[in-house]
Amino acid sequence: MPEPLTFHMGKHPAVLPADLRYCKNHMWCRPGAAGTHRFGFTAYALRLMQDVYFLEWAVDAGAPVPLKAKIGYIETSKAQSELYAPLAGTVTAFNPEVLADPSAINADGYCAGWLFEMTGDASDTLDVDAYYAHLAAGWDNTQRILKGQINAAGDDD
């Protein structure tokens, strides 16, 4: 099995397993049998979001969705965000355990913390090297945004 890559977010490592595919919206994709793929948040996304404590889906299992369609919402200690479909396809299942208790996303994001499964063409997903390059290309901008949020939060005191 190929070795994972580690993207360093300052002093915080984000491990990227080499056997997964990746989406630019910071979800991992585990391709499965018969074109059904499992998705979850990458370690990079989890580090930026910090603690996930609420998750709600805006579509039902069996629903066809276009690429980048809004499929749900997530609340974390940092923000409330909408979730978008990483592929065009059909959502086939949601992880009932993370709906009941989203803490599994924080504790085991690449396994028990998976989010949903869907069918569709995953050929546009990135391998680990391409995703690492995507993170590296955007890291300076991400740091500026994070520093701006910290400074803005400090202004409220």
Side-chain angles (χ1 to χ4, degrees):
M1 178 181 298
E3 290 295 315
L5 294 180
T6 301
F7 184 82
H8 291 280
M9 303 168 69
K11 61 184 177 180
H12 303 284
V15 176
L16 309 172
D19 62 329
L20 298 175
R21 303 290 298 174
Y22 294 89
C23 306
K24 288 185 177 180
N25 70 347
H26 306 297
M27 287 187 179
W28 54 261
C29 171
R30 181 172 286 122
T36 299
H37 315 292
R38 183 170 279 185
F39 292 87
F41 292 120
T42 66
Y44 177 90
L46 290 172
R47 178 66 195 144
L48 291 179
M49 292 187 296
Q50 307 229 342
D51 290 328
V52 175
Y53 59 83
F54 181 77
L55 176 66
E56 182 177 348
W57 298 110
V59 298
D60 294 322
V65 293
L67 175 66
K68 298 182 183 177
K70 184 174 24 173
I71 59 170
Y73 308 88
I74 192 161
E75 288 185 33
T76 73
S77 61
K78 294 284 188 181
Q80 180 178 350
S81 300
E82 295 175 341
L83 299 175
Y84 298 95
L87 314 171
T90 300
V91 176
T92 58
F94 296 103
N95 184 341
E97 283 80 23
V98 299
L99 265 175
D101 179 9
S103 66
I105 297 169
N106 307 311
D108 190 9
Y110 288 118
C111 223
W114 66 274
L115 300 172
F116 60 91
E117 292 179 341
M118 69 183 296
T119 59
D121 181 2
S123 63
D124 286 341
T125 58
L126 308 172
D127 67 15
V128 69
D129 292 315
Y131 182 63
Y132 185 98
H134 172 70
L135 295 179
W139 181 239
D140 286 342
N141 190 48
T142 299
Q143 288 183 92
R144 279 193 294 279
I145 291 168
L146 293 174
K147 287 176 184 169
Q149 289 173 348
I150 291 167
N151 292 339
D155 294 342
D156 293 343
D157 293 338

